Amino acid sequence: MIDKAALEKVVADAMVGSSMFLVSVDISADNRIVVELDKLDGSITIDDCVMINNVVEANFDRDVEDYELEVGSAGLTSPFKVKAQYDKNCGNMVEVLTCDGRKLRGTLKSATDADFTISVPKKVKPEGAKRPVMVEEDETFKYNEIKYTKYLID
């Protein structure tokens, strides 16, 4: 069985100097390897996938390990798995499902190692006003307080 840490290091080393980053590496019991990539400044291309595929095959002998390899892009609407995906999507609309069951839609404003902030539109009725008005309210969440965050396509 292929060592996951060794595989992650090989992939990370291959991406040095590019805007690509590793989202996940999954290795099943039957040696099926799935590598998900993303890019800070655009989308993963076929050439990016081929390059990573070739690097993995050069470092792990198929005759010895007998593995199946799939290299691809993290899905556009898939939940975020790493902080770099939050960084990439700052300024974009996202959907957040909290652990307490609230589903919020708003603009991702910032992300740190500990938490992230979204700006959520809410109706508020100002004192003395006849009708409520929409205002933007910031909400900050720690990563362990949410079930998922994903890019929202309008």
Side-chain angles (χ1 to χ4, degrees), residues 3-5 7-8 11 22-27 33-36:
D3 180 42
K4 185 176 179 177
L7 179 60
E8 288 174 342
V11 173
L22 182 61
V23 174
S24 70
V25 171
D26 294 315
I27 304 174
I33 303 167
V34 178
V35 178
E36 285 187 342

Side-chain angles (χ1 to χ4, degrees), residues 10-21:
V10 165
V11 173
D13 289 348
M15 294 185 296
V16 170
S18 75
S19 64
M20 288 191 296
F21 59 90

Side-chain angles (χ1 to χ4, degrees), residues 87-146:
D87 294 337
K88 174 184 178 175
N89 285 287
C90 277
N92 292 333
M93 290 292 292
V94 295
E95 179 178 276
V96 175
L97 179 62
T98 65
C99 288
D100 61 6
R102 295 185 304 147
K103 189 180 276 189
L104 304 168
R105 294 174 176 212
T107 304
L108 182 61
K109 290 186 75 176
S110 64
T112 67
D113 289 338
D115 55 30
F116 66 95
T117 302
I118 63 170
S119 181
V120 181
K122 291 191 177 183
K123 283 187 180 181
V124 175
K125 186 175 179 187
E127 196 172 317
K130 290 185 177 184
R131 295 187 180 172
V133 294
M134 294 298 286
V135 296
E136 294 286 323
E137 190 172 290
D138 289 353
E139 292 207 32
T140 301
F141 299 97
K142 295 194 180 322
Y143 296 104
N144 64 356
E145 296 175 338
I146 60 158

Side-chain angles (χ1 to χ4, degrees), residues 65-85:
E65 299 292 345
D66 189 31
Y67 60 87
E68 177 184 337
L69 178 61
E70 177 184 328
V71 179
S73 172
L76 184 62
T77 58
S78 298
F80 298 168
K81 295 179 182 177
V82 295
K83 183 185 171 290
Q85 290 177 293

